């Protein structure tokens, strides 16, 4: 059965499945919204946020610190999302509809063109931009 769609969303552009909890899925949409889904309860998204000013081209969970994920957008932003900023070593990734504990950091200070892809390994994030450049970010607090 398909997941319910958000009313008014033009299209979903990217998906990411949590590395150890396959029921947890992120999506990015053409209107700049990042949505967290739980396929065990597919009627409505768990949480969503209007985080970008342009289409969200890619979303990725960190492969080992999976309470962290990343999103990039046509608006030139690369966001680092930390769902457990106080690091209490929870065994399971959780994201509540109340996103007040969510820490979001823009890793790009001033990109003039869109960021259209990203990958994450250990403490390094690499992303590709519309000006045919690769950008590397390291030393993040996860």
């Amino acid at each position: 059965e398909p997941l319910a769609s958000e009313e008014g969303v033009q299209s979903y552009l990217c998906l990411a499945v949590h590395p150890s909890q396959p029921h947890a899925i992120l999506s990015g949409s053409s209107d700049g919204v990042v949505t967290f889904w739980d396929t065990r309860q597919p009627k409505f998204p768990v949480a969503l946020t209007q985080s970008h000013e342009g289409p969200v081209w890619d979303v990725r969970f960190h492969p080992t610190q999976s309470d962290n994920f990343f999103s990039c957008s046509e608006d030139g932003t690369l966001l680092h999302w930390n769902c457990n900023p106080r690091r209490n070593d929870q065994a399971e990734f959780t994201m509540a509809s109340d996103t007040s504990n969510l820490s979001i950091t823009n890793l790009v200070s001033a990109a003039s063109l869109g960021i259209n892809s990203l990958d994450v390994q250990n403490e390094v994030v690499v992303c590709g931009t519309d000006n045919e450049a690769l950008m590397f970010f390291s030393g993040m607090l996860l």
Side-chain angles (χ1 to χ4, degrees):
E1 181 175 327
L3 294 174
S5 65
E6 300 167 48
E7 191 171 322
V9 168
Q10 296 174 10
S11 62
Y12 294 109
L13 302 175
C14 54
L15 295 171
V17 177
H18 191 278
S20 63
Q21 299 175 51
H23 62 272
I25 297 175
L26 294 172
S27 66
S29 63
S30 59
D31 58 356
V33 173
V34 173
T35 304
F36 174 72
W37 300 89
D38 185 336
T39 60
R40 299 171 299 183
Q41 302 169 6
K43 296 287 182 195
F44 302 101
V46 174
L48 57 106
T49 178
Q50 178 74 46
S51 52
H52 293 280
E53 298 295 319
V56 178
W57 292 122
D58 207 354
V59 289
R60 297 280 173 113
F61 282 100
H62 189 282
T64 58
Q65 301 293 323
S66 52
D67 51 353
N68 288 261
F69 63 90
F70 301 84
S71 62
C72 65
S73 172
E74 182 73 25
D75 66 7
T77 57
L78 172 64
L79 300 182
H80 171 206
W81 306 67
N82 186 342
C83 298
N84 189 11
R86 291 189 252 310
R87 179 65 63 195
N88 63 10
D89 293 325
Q90 290 179 190
E92 183 169 319
F93 171 78
T94 58
M95 185 169 185
S97 57
D98 173 13
T99 58
S100 60
N101 288 331
L102 183 65
S103 169
I104 305 171
T105 305
N106 185 6
L107 299 178
V108 179
S109 58
S112 59
L113 294 174
I115 299 174
N116 50 37
S117 61
L118 70 101
D119 199 7
V120 184
Q121 289 297 320
N122 300 320
E123 292 184 14
V124 177
V125 177
V126 61
C127 61
T129 67
D130 281 344
N131 64 346
E132 300 179 10
L134 290 177
M135 298 188 326
F136 295 84
F137 301 90
S138 62
M140 293 169 292
L141 296 176
L142 300 175

